[in-house]
Amino acid sequence: MSSTAAEHVHDLVGIGFGPSNLALAIALREQGVALDAVFLERQHEFGWHRGMLIEGTTMQVSFLKDLATMRNPSSEYSFLNYLKERGRLADFINHKTMFPSRLEFHDYLEWAAHRFTGQVEYGSEVVAVRPVREDGTVVACDVVVRQGEAVTTRRARNLVIATGLEPVVPEGLEPGERVWHSHELLRRLPELDSPRRLLVLGAGQSGAEVVDHLHQRYPGAEVCAVFAKYGYTPADDSSFANRIFDPAAVDEFHHAPEDVKRMLLDYHGSTNYSVVDLELIDELYRRVYQEKVQGVERLRILNASRLAELTRRPEGVRAVVEHLPTGERVVLEADALVCATGYRSRDPLALLGELAGHCVRLPGGGPDVGRDYRIATGPEVRCGIYLQGATEWTHGLSSTLLSNTAVRAGEIVQSLIRAEDAEYLVSA
């Protein structure tokens, strides 16, 4: 192991460089904060859900909820400034939409990330975090990083963990050559050669988009959507319900009683979880109906059903699907199974090792995260540990979404400034 820890101490190490820590880098630069910050990203280049950049799909949040606008409407890192630099500002305005394509928004994110290449170390996987003590006080963290065959260390006074979400597959299923999670979709599809039947698990937006894409891409294939609901549930994107994603709602949620937090999460889960844009639902129903009219039913909706058995075969899979109300089972031979079964937040404490024992936990076992996104620790820990994402139970539904990314980044920067000022006063 080679180490830079003894040579240099960073003010901040960011673990992960997706939209959250990219927004943090922007906020640090725009607010003129002279902190020595470096970001460590496992991927070898910037990428955000590349496997689902399906042509024709659009964002589900307004372009105004970009990396900076909600915090600083005059930011040079805004989506509007990106459009101006790309020469498409007038064209986008004429498009009369608040929701750019997913491909275009990803290009915007890459455009912004390119401006921070000097602060990001790509191909860097964080494998451990270790406390650095002075006289019994944890004053810093050593972040152990694997870069190819080399292992190095970055020492930091503050950590910001933004490791994103991890894909979820149903219990008992393992991804493989013909069983994929939807986040791999576009990378895996070239492996198929004139498929005859494809199965898709899941009733959320990703599931509906995968069904839509496969049905259009392979006109000779049967596409079977399998889910336990009777039908896709429309997303609640109405104006009043969307207030749950406002910056002010985060403040209210964080200070609310625990029973109120649970109530709000239950009430408004339909704004985000296992729901689909109504326009896409209507389009899929239209196709199902037209195929019935034509007598060739290539798009099949196996609703109120579950995957009861799955056998892998060299050329595909053999699935047994059970209709839940009747118990009737049907056997389907398919070329591939796509699990559009969602994501979950990674456990932030799993990465902290020994440091996790110094973190205050909530009754459910998760970390107690302050309003400024700093994990509460014992008084023996002086270094700051901040969390982006995985804070739904403390900060509300917007925690893993883009809605408050810009504002949250600014709040973390202000917390870092306050911590630095306090540290200066103590040392003085």
Side-chain angles (χ1 to χ4, degrees), residues 7-20:
E7 302 167 10
H8 186 82
V9 181
H10 298 282
D11 294 313
L12 168 66
V13 166
I15 302 177
F17 198 66
S20 293

Side-chain angles (χ1 to χ4, degrees), residues 241-260:
N242 276 344
R243 286 179 170 177
I244 196 71
F245 303 118
D246 289 352
V250 176
D251 196 55
E252 293 172 350
F253 186 95
H254 188 268
H255 294 102
E258 293 304 311
D259 60 330
V260 174

